Amino acid sequence: MALRSVAVVLQDPVAMFEFGVLTEVFGIDRTDDGVPPFDFRVCTEFPGMPLRGDGGITLTAPLGLEATTDVDLVAIPASDAAYAPSEAVKQVVRDAVDRGAYVLSVCSGAFTLGAAGVLDGREVTTHWRHSDELAAAYPLAKVNPDVLYAHDGTIITSAGTAAGMDACLHLVRSEHGGAVANRIARRMVISPHRDGGQRQFIDRPIPVTECESIGPVLQWLLENLDDPHTVAELARRASMSSRTFARKFVSETGTTPHQWITDQRILRARELLEETDLSIEQIAGDVGFGSAALLRHHFAQCTGLTPTVFRTRHRSPA
């Protein structure tokens, strides 16, 4: 499927940020940057009727739900109404899934998907504050509270607020390649690397850390992935003992230094496979794996694909 058309279904009240995320990724003309145009439609059950937004704002959606019937993506942003959607909205979700279109939820929008009956047996997520509630309401769904987003079949669910950007960029990357997703991310001034992948796996994102000692080390690591690294060396750079550094690293990033570096090397390798003609051996050296064999091993563990197959499937058009 080539992702060309997107319908956002608004429910009253509207969470403005989550709606804005979808508009920012799909609703702005960036053809001057080489981003393909999206047919972006804002829909609601009662078009033209004012909808309540955050902070006393009201807005109106110009299109009815019939505008969703032929789109490639139906997107459901967060709303207090998402927990008990109307039958008409639930039918829009079911119809989209039945015809093979993508359905993407942002934050509590996942509850609308659950109410429509499309989450059974799927790996899904939502804001961590609501994950237990989602799991209790829809026990056949495989709720994973630890990821930014989950992609299972044509269903994509995201955690709170900014994770919706990650989910949207992941879908753009899957359908249009890394170069297009990177162009959108650059215009939005966010990292293009917070990326999820194939076969329902989720890549660990480049984390935002509040620790002043760890943050500069992470940035330095990203700029020096091709070099070998030890915990002792990184601890010295952070002016900590190895034990303290390792503990703070796990606390701030959710993973060990070794695993974090491996993940970032894979992300960089994916980018180079998509956007360059470098050989597998060259890429292995550039990202710090040292040999093509080691790159293939870690790459297959992470993505389920060999680097060569990944390049064939995801190479950005010239």
Side-chain angles (χ1 to χ4, degrees):
M1 177 192 300
L3 178 62
R4 299 294 182 186
S5 53
V6 179
V8 178
V9 176
L10 297 184
Q11 302 177 83
D12 186 24
V14 178
M16 298 298 292
F17 183 90
E18 285 79 356
F19 171 49
V21 165
L22 296 163
T23 303
E24 185 72 25
V25 176
F26 300 112
I28 295 178
D29 184 351
R30 293 195 171 96
T31 52
D32 60 332
D33 263 353
V35 176
F38 296 104
D39 175 4
F40 185 73
R41 310 173 191 179
V42 182
C43 312
T44 191
E45 188 171 357
F46 304 106
M49 180 179 293
L51 302 171
R52 294 167 294 161
D54 303 324
I57 294 172
T58 60
L59 69 161
T60 57
L63 301 175
L65 297 181
E66 65 276 1
T68 67
T69 58
D70 61 345
V71 294
D72 304 317
L73 167 65
V74 170
I76 310 291
S79 170
D80 287 346
Y83 299 89
S86 70
E87 186 58 40
V89 170
K90 289 189 285 187
Q91 194 60 49
V92 164
V93 173
R94 296 186 195 111
D95 289 345
V97 173
D98 287 346
R99 70 172 186 273
Y102 285 110
V103 176
L104 184 151
S105 66
V106 182
C107 194
S108 64
F111 285 85
T112 293
L113 275 57
V118 302
L119 298 186
D120 291 358
R122 298 182 188 271
E123 182 182 357
V124 299
T125 195
T126 189
H127 193 291
W128 59 267
R129 293 183 64 185
H130 309 303
S131 58
D132 288 345
E133 183 181 359
L134 184 66
Y138 305 104
L140 297 182
K142 302 173 183 177
V143 179
N144 186 343
D146 298 324
V147 296
L148 292 175
Y149 57 91
H151 184 174
D152 194 327
T154 60
I155 302 290
I156 302 170
T157 50
S158 67
T161 56
M165 297 182 196
D166 302 304
C168 291
L169 289 174
H170 160 66
L171 182 54
V172 171
R173 180 181 294 273
S174 298
E175 288 292 313
H176 294 285
V180 171
N182 290 351
R183 289 171 191 143
I184 295 174
R186 188 161 53 244
R187 285 283 290 268
M188 294 170 67
V189 198
I190 63 174
S191 169
H193 296 291
R194 293 164 59 95
D195 180 31
Q198 313 298 305
R199 302 197 321 169
Q200 304 160 38
F201 75 86
I202 301 299
D203 287 341
R204 293 173 178 83
I206 295 174
V208 177
T209 176
E210 298 177 357
C211 178
E212 293 181 359
S213 299
I214 296 293
V217 174
L218 297 185
Q219 187 58 47
W220 179 82
L221 278 170
L222 291 175
E223 296 168 0
N224 296 274
L225 285 175
D226 55 328
D227 294 331
H229 301 290
T230 65
V231 171
E233 166 221 341
L234 299 176
R236 285 193 297 271
R237 182 170 288 275
S239 300
M240 299 178 187
S241 69
S242 295
R243 178 177 295 182
T244 299
F245 177 81
R247 185 177 66 250
K248 284 185 175 290
F249 198 100
V250 172
S251 173
E252 290 290 322
T253 69
T255 190
T256 64
H258 173 75
Q259 188 60 56
W260 190 91
I261 293 168
T262 298
D263 290 341
Q264 303 314 313
R265 284 171 171 164
I266 291 296
L267 288 172
R268 179 57 179 154
R270 289 172 62 153
E271 187 177 83
L272 293 174
L273 288 166
E274 288 179 343
E275 300 181 11
T276 75
D277 293 318
L278 293 174
S279 69
I280 305 301
E281 194 72 46
Q282 287 175 302
I283 291 174
D286 287 349
V287 304
F289 281 124
S291 71
L294 198 56
L295 170 59
R296 291 188 185 99
H297 169 75
H298 288 292
F299 201 90
Q301 277 197 328
C302 182
T303 69
L305 303 172
T306 68
T308 301
V309 171
F310 180 89
R311 170 173 269 169
T312 300
R313 294 185 183 179
H314 296 275
R315 179 65 187 271
S316 301

